[in-house]
Amino acid sequence: SWSWDRTSWQTYATNLSAFPAAQSEHLQQKMSENGALPLRGKVLTLDTMNANVKKVDYAVRGPIVQRAVQIEKELKEGVKKPFEEVIKANIGDAHAMGQRPITFFRQVMALCTYPQLLDDNKFPEDAKNRARRILQSCGGNSIGAYTTSQGIDCVRHDVANYIQRRDGGIPSDPDNIYLTTGASDGIVTILKLLTTGEGRTRTGVMISIPQYPLYSASIAELGAVQINYYLNEEKCWSLDISELQRSLQAAREHCNPCVLCIINPGNPTGQVQSRQCIEDVIRFAAKENLFLMADEVYQDNVYAEGCAFHSFKKVLFEMGPEYSSKVELASFHSTSKCYMGECGFRGGYMEVMNMDPEVKAQLTKLVSVRLCPPAPGQALMDLVVNSPQPGEPSYQTFMKERTAVLSALAEKAKLTEEILNTVPGISCNPVQGAMYSFPRITLPERSINEAKAKGQAPDMFYCMKLLEETGICLVPGSGFGQREGTYHFRMTILPPTDKLKIMLNKLKEFHQKFTQQYS
Amino acid sequence: MLARKCVRALDYNCNLYYLFLYQKHYNENVFLTLISSAGRLDGKMREKTLTMDTLNPQVKAVEYAVRGPIVIKAGEIERYLEEGGTKPFSEVIKANIGDAHAMGQQPITFLRQVVALCTFPELMDSPSFPEDAKWRARRILQGCGGHSLGSYSASPGVECIRKDIAAYIEQRDEGVPSDWENIYLTTGASDGIMTILRLLVSGKDSSRTGVMIPIPQYPLYSAAISEMDAVQVNYYLDEDNCWALDINELHRAHQAAKQHCQPRVICIINPGNPTGQVQSKKCIEEVLHFAYEENLFVMSDEVYQDNVYAPDCQFHSFKKVLYEMGPEYFSSVELVSFHSTSKGYTGECGFRGGYMEVINMDPEVKAQLVKLLSVRLCPPLAGQAAMDVIVNPPQPEEHTFKQFHQEKSSVLGALAEKAKLTEQILNAVPGIKCNPVQGAMYAFPRIFIPPKAVEEAKALGMQPDMLYCLRLLEETGICVVPGSGFGQKDRTYHFRMTILPSIEKLNVLLGKVRDFHIRFLKEYSGLE
């Protein structure tokens, strides 16, 4: 924001004199009639703005991150700090943490962007073939044309084939696939369709606690009712059907619960759901007539032995037609996570199953207002679902790069859990999947009181201090939700192993110091 | 087969239009399921959670004609032709949407070079890329986390791109200051417009936010207003005066709306979409003065700022005019202006790039805006990079300038020629009257529809110009959007067509429109 200080006034006056015809006659007349015009109030203020927007909270980019950015600037300007750099472990942004893009993907993207490169013999044939195929289904063979609102036809076909392969042959219909602007966009769109009613009939949305705050933020923005079900921290953040039942029952008193959101593998909690658990959830949704939203953006990020990713779709179909023909399910995927970490392209898709055909037409209409998801993101999504195959020239490099990323992540997941669990007052569940650890921290009573006196959540107080003293940027557990009286933080496992080690050790030191200071 | 027959019978009936969509989307089984849920067949199925009855009613109310029924029909015909079907034409010409590349316009080489370099930085070593492109790419990458286009950017956008945009605006507006912290990158202009409207919509009943929009309008506005359940306040552009905005009409619309809502926003599209007019400086002053007096938040959609063709017209930004009106205005009127990579001479729609500049916004509200944007993380980086090239194009002293300049002028020169051509040919057709296409990318001619055709349309439950456009599509393969999708004065009919096809194609297209129109008139005037 800028205000009218003296310099601005002078600049203004100087610049204004450059425009001799500045003020038209009738305006000058108007102003002299009224004398100076009174300063009018703003149209848009905190009091007059959309109240739902005010309620939105998104901790992953909240105050702590804003402070981190500020500190980065201060460091650049030469301000002395007890550290040299800010480590942003607040967000699952792999490339920002130094992960390299998958070469093949970027080759194809460059070819799509600048097709003159199709004549360049430095690019492998399989990359060229894919680029040609994508461009052929773009208007005017250009990635600069709008695509159909649902997404490029051949990309949707490739997505459907991928899902079919992933799920051991269970059919997937390209008509059920919608490309999206990152998974977030798809999730918000589906929630938008579902939100209706007033007062006690208002749509209730069941979300896990802890949750990824996109959910709470969208629920607030849409004015839906948030229904919390708590994951079981003692049992490695697993989902408990009796807890679902409890929270649903309680919610029925004041709203109309009709959606159940699941994040698997879990964000921020890193658990991977067992097949049995998914089956139970589906049975529950069927019984209670709930629309299921399965956020599966971490489907390739499973590290723990004995864990495997099971898609909701596959389990649903294996449960037989009684379920597979009736439970309404939307599942979400994205280019931002897994081994590619291409967040900036905002690519993603959703698959909708058993959606009422009339509603599907409404969905298509709704997404058409925004015209289309970014075409480069769609192209990238295509590569993720149609990656190099054995026998193709790029296969080996691709596999090498993919495996390197995923095994490094597995190693870092283990490392994080191990080091954190050696700190008295920190206890960390195994990071079975996804990209985060969400350890529980014990905070001394005195620090809790001091935080409360400052009007801060105790774990926000903790994370702020950690940031100021070590440069490590984490997100307090309160931003994701947690059982009352418990405190956590979320940190990504993305920094390179050596950096991660340094970071974890700094964290360890800080925690010990903090505990001492406030005991 | 049954399904297909049902569908045919329902064809052209707008009320049941979604039924005919099923032909495209669903197999017979699904169709039968539908019928069963309507109670015609024995229904054992569990009730769906999400049905037309339980769907968010605001979503139901949304309409977006630019990709509406006529375009879906065009897609079907295209597929039919591809599969070897025969029609009285060999291809569908989609003149429904401002999608330059789809109509054969070539990308600006320099822009694509920079984005390709950002995408695959290994190309920095390639001698076939010019240095000016390389340094721009390097600079953009330096502003990205991990020097990768694959990282999230800050939610308002990459900092150096925001700075380039502010510098561009300052230069465009001949020195009027622009603060880079007022710049927010967006996912196309649509995203920015929706976000700002979202902030503004509040209140209940007679205090509900009213949004003043021109009629005819670009239907993103009406769609967004429906989605957010705000109140649409129409002000009519003056067709007899080349679609000019009349300040008395603004007063009338505002007065009338105050009875049932609280008008708080005025939206202006300049150059106009679908109407192609370019606002005079005096008119902009009047609008801003009106907004000042009536305490309205101004949203100026300026995505066609480079698309001005008429020799006596010039683009004036709302920001610059506001500044020139003096500090009383410039320090108080809340203004957001929008721009995009999709139009101009680049036509890069697929990248979904855009920005908005926010002026005089309450600092607390600005913090709320940043928070709201952060939930969606960031606009696509490739789109941000494309936006950067547009605001930071090659300069005369750079090697690439000549080629860049030549490509740019050739696109804009062709558009100006096509604007003129379209107006001239359409005005030669009896029963079609077309205002000059001063700017933007569309003609929005008025068409005379004989009373018999109007009656027939009504009997089918559709708008007369929808009937006209569907017939045009079926008989010629030309896809244009009926005026009713944009709004028009009662009992007037129009269509919107883009001027984007190549000159040869446009000539053929306009000839076909002329022949069709004459045939249509004859048929419905009983002269056939």
Side-chain angles (χ1 to χ4, degrees):
Chain A
S1 74
W2 57 274
S3 57
W4 286 95
D5 58 24
R6 177 168 288 173
T7 342
S8 325
W9 275 111
Q10 278 167 353
T11 325
Y12 188 87
T14 325
N15 285 336
L16 193 59
S17 60
F19 304 110
Q23 292 176 16
S24 77
E25 267 171 46
H26 80 276
L27 287 175
Q28 276 177 353
Q29 250 172 24
K30 267 242 151 69
M31 273 158 60
S32 52
E33 274 165 29
N34 305 351
L37 286 164
L39 246 171
R40 43 168 241 165
K42 300 241 182 242
V43 178
L44 184 57
T45 65
L46 271 192
D47 292 334
T48 63
M49 75 180 280
N50 183 338
N52 287 344
V53 171
K54 251 183 286 183
K55 288 187 211 136
V56 167
D57 258 319
Y58 187 69
V60 174
R61 291 207 152 171
I64 198 127
V65 185
Q66 284 166 16
R67 178 65 192 138
V69 172
Q70 227 172 359
I71 292 178
E72 266 182 334
K73 278 199 179 133
E74 288 170 19
L75 283 172
K76 250 190 213 163
E77 287 158 6
V79 178
K80 282 265 170 292
K81 301 265 174 195
F83 48 87
E84 271 151 33
E85 62 164 340
V86 173
I87 304 178
K88 287 192 194 155
N90 60 297
I91 189 165
D93 191 355
H95 291 201
M97 286 287 106
Q99 184 182 310
R100 311 274 309 147
I102 299 289
T103 308
F104 180 78
F105 290 179
R106 292 302 188 92
Q107 284 173 328
V108 180
M109 296 303 296
L111 288 161
C112 288
T113 306
Y114 193 57
Q116 284 88 330
L117 292 170
L118 287 166
D119 301 328
D120 187 328
N121 53 21
K122 288 206 188 72
F123 284 79
E125 274 313 307
D126 45 352
K128 288 183 184 173
N129 288 339
R130 279 181 183 64
R132 274 191 212 103
R133 182 155 169 279
I134 292 168
L135 289 177
Q136 265 158 23
S137 45
C138 291
N141 297 338
S142 167
I143 203 154
Y146 291 121
T147 73
T148 56
S149 303
Q150 208 173 338
I152 300 171
D153 257 18
C154 84
V155 178
R156 283 163 49 219
H157 278 89
D158 288 347
V159 169
N161 286 335
Y162 161 82
I163 293 174
Q164 204 159 317
R165 253 180 293 137
R166 181 198 69 189
D167 291 344
I170 291 164
S172 171
D173 181 349
D175 271 345
N176 289 340
I177 309 293
Y178 289 75
L179 275 293
T180 58
T181 308
S184 310
D185 169 48
I187 292 167
V188 175
T189 303
I190 295 295
L191 283 176
K192 189 168 290 161
L193 295 181
L194 283 156
T195 303
T196 181
E198 290 288 338
R200 285 193 58 171
T201 66
R202 191 74 178 160
T203 296
V205 182
M206 300 182 70
I207 60 172
S208 59
I209 296 293
Q211 51 115 18
Y212 174 54
L214 165 71
Y215 290 91
S216 51
S218 318
I219 290 169
E221 194 185 319
L222 294 167
V225 181
Q226 177 175 328
I227 305 170
N228 298 337
Y229 65 88
Y230 289 84
L231 300 176
N232 190 342
E233 183 165 15
E234 276 68 45
K235 274 187 167 165
C236 198
W237 297 115
S238 65
L239 191 159
D240 191 359
I241 296 297
S242 58
E243 169 59 12
L244 283 185
Q245 197 70 58
R246 179 208 60 78
S247 86
L248 180 76
Q249 228 57 55
R252 287 219 164 112
E253 302 295 315
H254 62 276
C255 70
N256 176 25
C258 49
V259 198
L260 171 56
C261 303
I262 307 277
I263 314 174
N264 176 49
N267 175 6
T269 38
Q271 83 285 11
V272 176
Q273 268 185 300
S274 70
R275 200 187 170 286
Q276 182 59 47
C277 177
I278 294 174
E279 225 177 85
D280 293 344
V281 170
I282 291 173
R283 213 166 276 127
F284 175 79
K287 183 172 69 113
E288 304 293 351
N289 250 26
L290 298 170
F291 189 106
L292 266 177
M293 291 174 65
D295 180 338
E296 303 180 327
V297 299
Y298 297 99
Q299 53 189 270
D300 290 333
N301 299 107
V302 175
Y303 317 118
E305 265 178 53
C307 287
F309 169 73
H310 303 276
S311 79
F312 266 72
K313 162 108 183 274
K314 181 168 185 236
V315 177
L316 178 65
F317 275 75
E318 287 171 356
M319 286 168 74
E322 189 194 341
Y323 292 95
S324 66
S325 66
K326 68 178 192 179
V327 175
E328 293 154 82
L329 168 68
S331 68
F332 305 89
H333 196 15
S334 140
T335 59
S336 305
K337 311 298 168 187
C338 299
Y339 59 95
M340 52 281 180
E342 295 279 13
C343 312
F345 281 89
R346 315 305 297 120
Y349 73 75
M350 57 186 176
E351 185 185 22
V352 294
M353 271 140 302
N354 291 319
M355 185 176 266
D356 181 307
E358 286 181 287
V359 173
K360 228 168 111 181
Q362 294 283 323
L363 169 61
T364 307
K365 178 190 74 177
L366 185 65
V367 296
S368 76
V369 178
R370 302 276 192 115
L371 296 164
C372 67
Q378 296 187 46
L380 191 58
M381 194 74 245
D382 187 63
L383 302 171
V384 172
V385 296
N386 184 18
S387 55
Q389 296 305 303
E392 288 190 300
S394 306
Y395 179 71
Q396 271 181 346
T397 316
F398 168 75
M399 281 313 283
K400 214 176 94 193
E401 291 177 352
R402 181 183 194 272
T403 313
V405 171
L406 289 177
S407 52
L409 283 172
E411 188 191 340
K412 292 188 275 190
K414 197 85 203 133
L415 185 76
T416 306
E417 178 202 343
E418 279 169 5
I419 300 190
L420 287 178
N421 277 330
T422 64
V423 187
I426 296 188
S427 103
C428 180
N429 268 320
V431 183
Q432 298 175 332
M435 295 182 167
Y436 317 96
S437 69
F438 195 69
R440 181 154 167 187
I441 46 178
T442 312
L443 299 180
E445 202 56 38
R446 229 159 46 101
S447 73
I448 295 173
N449 292 338
E450 192 171 322
K452 282 185 182 156
K454 286 179 109 178
Q456 260 178 353
D459 46 14
M460 170 66 92
F461 178 77
Y462 177 94
C463 289
M464 270 299 184
K465 257 187 115 69
L466 175 75
L467 173 65
E468 296 288 350
E469 291 177 21
T470 66
I472 300 171
C473 177
L474 308 176
V475 190
S478 45
F480 303 88
Q482 53 201 356
R483 282 211 185 261
E484 225 181 287
T486 70
Y487 305 107
H488 302 78
F489 58 74
R490 184 184 87 163
M491 64 167 276
T492 68
I493 57 166
L494 295 173
T497 310
D498 40 337
K499 214 178 203 170
L500 185 67
K501 274 187 191 152
I502 298 174
M503 189 179 105
L504 288 165
N505 284 321
K506 277 188 173 184
L507 192 58
K508 187 174 176 172
E509 266 170 49
F510 169 82
H511 188 81
Q512 285 162 345
K513 220 174 74 195
F514 184 89
T515 309
Q516 266 174 6
Q517 190 187 343
Y518 287 97
S519 297
Chain B
M1 265 334 276
L2 165 70
R4 197 153 289 175
K5 259 186 208 150
C6 291
V7 158
R8 285 239 176 84
L10 295 169
D11 214 345
Y12 278 17
N13 188 328
C14 249
N15 291 333
L16 293 168
Y17 139 66
Y18 282 116
L19 279 175
F20 104 72
L21 274 186
Y22 299 151
Q23 182 182 10
K24 172 174 160 243
H25 280 301
Y26 311 108
N27 60 28
E28 214 157 293
N29 287 342
V30 178
F31 192 83
L32 291 174
T33 312
L34 247 187
I35 293 175
S36 91
S37 71
R40 275 186 242 166
L41 295 179
D42 181 29
K44 282 181 237 146
M45 300 277 292
R46 154 189 183 258
E47 277 286 306
K48 299 237 181 244
T49 305
L50 183 57
T51 64
M52 286 305 276
D53 292 335
T54 62
L55 176 72
N56 180 342
Q58 279 128 253
V59 169
K60 237 182 284 182
V62 166
E63 276 182 43
Y64 187 68
V66 174
R67 291 209 152 172
I70 197 120
V71 183
I72 291 164
K73 187 85 199 161
E76 277 172 28
I77 294 177
E78 255 184 342
R79 233 158 304 147
Y80 175 76
L81 287 173
E82 265 168 34
E83 286 159 11
T86 51
K87 288 273 173 191
F89 48 87
S90 55
E91 63 163 341
V92 172
I93 304 178
K94 287 196 185 153
N96 60 298
I97 189 165
D99 190 355
H101 290 201
M103 286 287 105
Q105 184 181 310
Q106 289 306 302
I108 298 290
T109 307
F110 185 75
L111 185 147
R112 291 302 187 89
Q113 285 174 331
V114 175
V115 179
L117 285 159
C118 289
T119 305
F120 192 55
E122 282 83 339
L123 291 169
M124 296 283 182
D125 302 330
S126 163
S128 48
F129 283 77
E131 279 310 311
D132 346 346
K134 285 182 185 170
W135 79 256
R136 274 179 184 73
R138 264 187 224 110
R139 190 160 157 276
I140 292 169
L141 288 177
Q142 265 156 26
C144 295
H147 299 174
S148 168
L149 222 47
S151 58
Y152 291 121
S153 74
S155 303
V158 176
E159 192 172 309
C160 75
I161 298 178
R162 293 168 77 198
K163 287 177 174 160
D164 286 349
I165 291 169
Y168 161 82
I169 293 173
E170 250 180 58
Q171 197 189 18
R172 180 197 69 191
D173 290 345
E174 298 175 305
V176 177
S178 172
D179 181 345
W180 68 270
E181 295 196 76
N182 288 337
I183 310 291
Y184 297 84
L185 276 293
T186 57
T187 307
S190 310
D191 169 49
I193 292 167
M194 295 263 221
T195 304
I196 296 297
L197 282 176
R198 179 149 292 137
L199 293 179
L200 281 157
V201 176
S202 68
K204 282 215 182 290
D205 305 322
S206 66
S207 71
R208 191 76 179 156
T209 297
V211 182
M212 300 185 71
I213 60 171
I215 295 295
Q217 52 116 19
Y218 174 54
L220 164 71
Y221 290 92
S222 50
I225 290 168
S226 299
E227 193 186 313
M228 295 173 203
D229 206 16
V231 181
Q232 178 174 327
V233 178
N234 296 337
Y235 65 87
Y236 288 84
L237 300 176
D238 185 357
E239 182 165 16
D240 299 328
N241 198 3
C242 198
W243 296 115
L245 190 159
D246 179 4
I247 209 75
N248 296 321
E249 169 61 10
L250 284 187
H251 280 290
R252 181 207 61 76
H254 185 256
Q255 279 306 326
K258 276 203 291 197
Q259 310 302 319
H260 63 276
C261 70
Q262 194 184 345
R264 299 170 71 208
V265 199
I266 180 166
C267 302
I268 307 279
I269 314 172
N270 176 47
N273 175 6
T275 39
Q277 82 286 12
V278 176
Q279 266 186 299
S280 71
K281 188 170 166 207
K282 178 162 172 293
C283 176
I284 295 174
E285 272 177 8
E286 286 173 347
V287 171
L288 287 169
H289 181 69
F290 171 78
Y292 179 96
E293 292 224 301
E294 302 294 352
N295 240 37
L296 296 171
F297 190 105
V298 182
M299 293 174 64
S300 71
D301 178 338
E302 303 181 326
V303 300
Y304 297 99
Q305 56 188 269
D306 287 328
N307 299 103
V308 175
Y309 316 118
D312 51 340
C313 288
Q314 196 191 333
F315 170 73
H316 301 277
S317 80
F318 266 65
K319 162 109 182 278
K320 181 169 182 238
V321 175
L322 185 66
Y323 184 84
E324 290 171 4
M325 286 166 74
E328 288 86 351
Y329 293 90
F330 191 56
S331 64
S332 73
V333 175
E334 293 150 85
L335 168 68
V336 180
S337 64
F338 304 89
H339 197 15
S340 140
T341 59
S342 306
K343 312 298 168 186
Y345 55 93
T346 52
E348 294 283 10
C349 310
F351 281 90
R352 313 306 297 121
Y355 73 77
M356 57 187 176
E357 185 184 22
V358 170
I359 298 156
N360 290 320
M361 185 176 269
D362 181 304
E364 286 180 297
V365 175
K366 239 168 104 174
Q368 295 282 325
L369 169 62
V370 174
K371 180 190 74 178
L372 187 62
L373 294 173
S374 74
V375 178
R376 301 283 190 111
L377 296 164
C378 68
L381 269 288
Q384 295 191 46
M387 194 76 243
D388 190 59
V389 179
I390 291 173
V391 296
N392 187 16
Q395 297 305 303
E397 66 278 8
E398 290 185 291
H399 288 300
T400 44
F401 179 75
K402 215 174 123 187
Q403 189 191 354
F404 169 81
H405 189 71
Q406 193 204 332
E407 290 178 0
K408 175 180 172 180
S409 336
S410 117
V411 170
L412 290 177
L415 282 172
E417 192 183 337
K418 291 187 278 190
K420 196 86 205 136
L421 184 77
T422 306
E423 179 202 342
Q424 281 169 351
I425 299 189
L426 287 177
N427 275 329
V429 185
I432 296 188
K433 191 172 167 296
C434 182
N435 268 320
V437 182
Q438 298 174 333
M441 294 180 168
Y442 316 96
F444 195 69
R446 182 156 168 185
I447 45 176
F448 171 71
I449 298 187
K452 241 178 83 186
V454 173
E455 273 165 40
E456 186 176 317
K458 278 185 184 153
L460 287 164
M462 67 170 71
Q463 293 291 335
D465 46 13
M466 173 65 91
L467 173 76
Y468 180 94
C469 292
L470 273 172
R471 289 277 309 261
L472 177 70
L473 174 65
E474 291 279 9
E475 292 174 27
T476 66
I478 298 169
C479 178
V480 298
V481 188
S484 45
F486 303 88
Q488 53 200 355
K489 279 214 157 134
D490 249 13
R491 283 184 292 279
T492 70
Y493 306 108
H494 302 79
F495 61 76
R496 183 184 88 162
M497 63 168 275
T498 69
I499 57 166
L500 295 172
S502 65
I503 294 199
E504 306 76 61
K505 221 176 199 172
L506 188 63
N507 259 315
V508 175
L509 183 149
L510 289 164
K512 281 185 173 184
V513 170
R514 180 184 55 214
D515 297 346
F516 166 81
H517 188 79
I518 293 168
R519 232 174 25 242
F520 187 86
L521 285 191
K522 271 190 192 155
E523 182 186 332
Y524 285 99
S525 312
L527 297 175
E528 203 173 53

